[in-house]
Amino acid sequence: MDKILEQLETLVERYSELQELMSDPEVINDTKRYMKYSKEEADIRDVVNAFNHYKKLKQSISDSDEILRETDDAEMQAMAKDELNSSKEELEKVEHEITILMLPKDPNDDKNIIMEIRGAAGGDEASLFAADLLTMYSKYAEKQGWSFEIIDETDTEVGGYKDVAVMITGNRVYSKLKYENGAHRVQRIPSTESQGRVHTSTATVAVMPEYDEVELELDPKDIRTDVYRSSGAGGQHINKTSSAVRMTHLPTGIVVAMQDQRSQQQNREKAMQILKSRVYDYYESENQSEYDEKRKSAVGTGDRSERIRTYNYPQNRVTDHRIGLSLNKLDRIMNGELEEIIDALIVYDQTQKLEQIQSGETKLF
């Protein structure tokens, strides 16, 4: 308890220091430094405010106890008891709030993401379901005020997607969509089904945080870049009209092709963004088993083969298998109303972390 309070006091001191720094004209004129301090200040603001509230409640409880000990006035005692009970009840809530705020943070939570959706088992129906998932995430992003941009796509003749990659940018995108990693299963009657039978198909979703130059360095010697005509079938055709770009990361064999942008330079930039995220994701996945064991959480493991959710159209039901949550509102969820599922996954994840703290006999309060 004393150690935790010391950590919180240190955060309060750092918060005051950051506010002074952000008022310094020299810092204000240095955009990079100002943004760095501003982000740090924002990251600890909630826990500092909660701790200050905690200290006020502790003082209120102490004052009420003192009044009850030292006064015989019935009216004063009644008021003190009411204040004491109210403060204790509020203190319990604030302690829980601080506990949640002090849980280990995922360093990627603030990042934008690259999401890849692929039609898997089920042929044309799988590609159509991939398109439905794309629309679902697009509408959810719109509700969150995020930017949603398709950066690579391979469509199918029936109007679906063999695979599609999007970049989603905004406030704490990864913190909410990281739980979407995995295999999504759909059960419905395809439009081509003449017998009215329900078919089962799957699509996979990969969510990768976007990394900038500073965070992830790729050795240029490890990247082979080919350019070719956007309208062509591929190959290396270096001339003035070549704008499509194919990048290969030689150590991993990961290939990214980009031809959707207007210029070769734009295609290079987009290809590099996707390549960085895929390479990072590749190395992270290599250590995934060890990570999952350490974390002991069934949420957000990132296993592409893990069936995380079923969308049952005949029963208008969506089931998230990781937390056993079933909601009979598939139509609304496919329209982008994902908040209830995502909030439940976040709470479950927090609960798992709390249980780990408690099993290790480490409690914040």
Side-chain angles (χ1 to χ4, degrees):
M1 172 64 177
D2 290 340
K3 185 177 180 181
I4 296 300
L5 291 176
E6 286 176 14
Q7 291 176 353
L8 289 166
E9 290 289 3
T10 301
L11 283 179
V12 171
E13 292 173 9
R14 178 57 179 168
Y15 187 74
S16 298
E17 182 184 356
L18 287 168
Q19 290 185 314
E20 289 180 13
L21 285 168
M22 289 167 63
S23 300
D24 186 334
E26 186 179 329
V27 173
I28 293 173
N29 291 326
D30 186 336
T31 304
K32 191 172 181 179
R33 282 177 67 195
Y34 184 84
M35 292 299 292
K36 177 185 175 183
Y37 292 144
S38 178
K39 182 181 183 304
E40 186 181 350
E41 186 263 356
D43 286 344
I44 64 175
R45 184 188 306 144
D46 288 344
V47 71
V48 167
N49 289 338
F51 182 53
N52 286 334
H53 186 33
Y54 166 84
K55 290 191 289 186
K56 288 179 182 178
L57 289 169
K58 292 287 283 186
Q59 185 60 52
S60 174
I61 290 170
S62 178
D63 292 344
S64 297
D65 278 334
E66 185 177 352
I67 291 172
L68 289 172
R69 286 195 308 269
E70 297 183 356
T71 185
D72 294 327
D73 184 282
E75 186 175 346
M76 287 285 289
Q77 285 217 342
M79 290 176 60
K81 283 180 180 178
D82 287 343
E83 182 67 25
L84 181 63
N85 291 333
S86 175
S87 295
K88 284 184 174 180
E89 185 177 333
E90 181 69 14
L91 184 68
E92 189 175 334
K93 294 178 182 177
V94 174
E95 286 178 349
H96 180 71
E97 180 186 354
I98 294 175
T99 300
I100 297 300
L101 290 169
M102 291 289 284
L103 288 174
K105 300 290 191 299
D106 186 330
N108 294 323
D109 276 352
D110 288 336
K111 289 182 169 57
N112 300 320
I113 68 164
I114 293 173
M115 174 184 281
E116 295 181 345
I117 306 173
R118 299 176 182 273
D124 287 345
E125 177 62 14
S127 77
L128 290 171
F129 181 49
D132 291 337
L133 289 176
L134 178 72
T135 300
M136 178 183 75
Y137 291 125
S138 172
K139 291 182 176 180
Y140 176 70
E142 184 180 357
K143 293 175 189 293
Q144 299 296 313
W146 297 337
S147 172
F148 190 94
E149 177 191 3
I150 295 178
I151 53 178
D152 191 22
E153 59 184 307
T154 305
D155 52 17
T156 61
E157 294 180 358
V158 295
Y161 289 103
K162 180 181 178 182
D163 53 71
V164 57
V166 298
M167 182 170 291
I168 307 177
T169 57
N171 183 36
R172 295 178 62 79
V173 178
Y174 186 79
S175 71
K176 294 185 176 180
L177 290 181
K178 62 183 177 181
Y179 303 109
E180 298 304 298
N181 259 325
H184 296 241
R185 181 176 70 171
V186 62
Q187 295 175 324
R188 64 186 178 187
I189 302 172
S191 57
T192 56
E193 171 57 55
S194 59
Q195 303 296 321
R197 291 173 297 186
V198 173
H199 287 222
T200 298
S201 306
T202 58
T204 61
V205 176
V207 177
M208 298 167 286
E210 180 194 4
Y211 291 90
D212 58 31
E213 294 283 350
V214 177
E215 294 169 304
L216 183 64
E217 291 286 351
L218 294 182
D219 190 337
K221 295 177 183 177
D222 290 338
I223 302 173
R224 185 181 73 233
T225 303
D226 301 316
V227 295
Y228 56 94
R229 298 177 189 273
S230 298
S231 57
Q236 188 168 357
H237 304 289
I238 301 177
N239 56 44
K240 292 182 181 179
T241 60
S242 297
S243 61
V245 174
R246 182 191 300 108
M247 289 185 176
T248 304
H249 185 246
L250 300 175
T252 61
I254 293 172
V255 179
V256 174
M258 181 62 56
Q259 61 177 7
D260 293 343
Q261 305 302 311
R262 292 178 179 272
S263 69
Q264 183 187 127
Q265 183 58 35
Q266 288 175 319
N267 279 322
R268 281 178 180 270
E269 291 171 0
K270 289 293 184 183
M272 181 58 74
Q273 282 180 310
I274 297 175
L275 186 66
K276 283 182 179 180
S277 293
R278 284 183 179 171
V279 169
Y280 183 87
D281 187 62
Y282 173 86
Y283 288 126
E284 281 292 286
S285 297
E286 281 193 333
N287 299 321
Q288 197 66 54
S289 296
E290 179 183 346
Y291 175 74
D292 291 341
E293 178 61 28
K294 186 185 298 182
R295 188 159 176 252
K296 290 185 174 63
S297 173
V299 178
T301 63
D303 184 352
R304 304 290 185 269
S305 64
E306 177 190 5
R307 186 191 69 192
I308 65 167
R309 196 174 297 150
T310 295
Y311 303 75
N312 188 305
Y313 275 72
Q315 298 178 19
N316 196 40
R317 185 181 69 239
V318 174
T319 300
D320 195 290
H321 303 288
R322 296 164 294 180
I323 57 176
L325 175 67
S326 289
L327 300 172
N328 291 98
K329 51 179 75 173
L330 179 145
D331 50 341
R332 291 165 57 183
I333 289 168
M334 298 307 293
N335 197 42
E337 295 183 27
L338 281 165
E339 293 85 356
E340 191 170 349
I341 293 178
I342 290 174
D343 287 347
L345 288 164
I346 290 172
V347 169
Y348 182 82
D349 199 14
Q350 291 173 344
T351 302
Q352 295 289 296
K353 289 176 180 176
L354 281 172
E355 287 179 358
Q356 289 177 47
I357 290 173
Q358 292 165 354
S359 65
E361 297 182 354
T362 303
K363 296 184 180 181
L364 298 182
F365 290 94

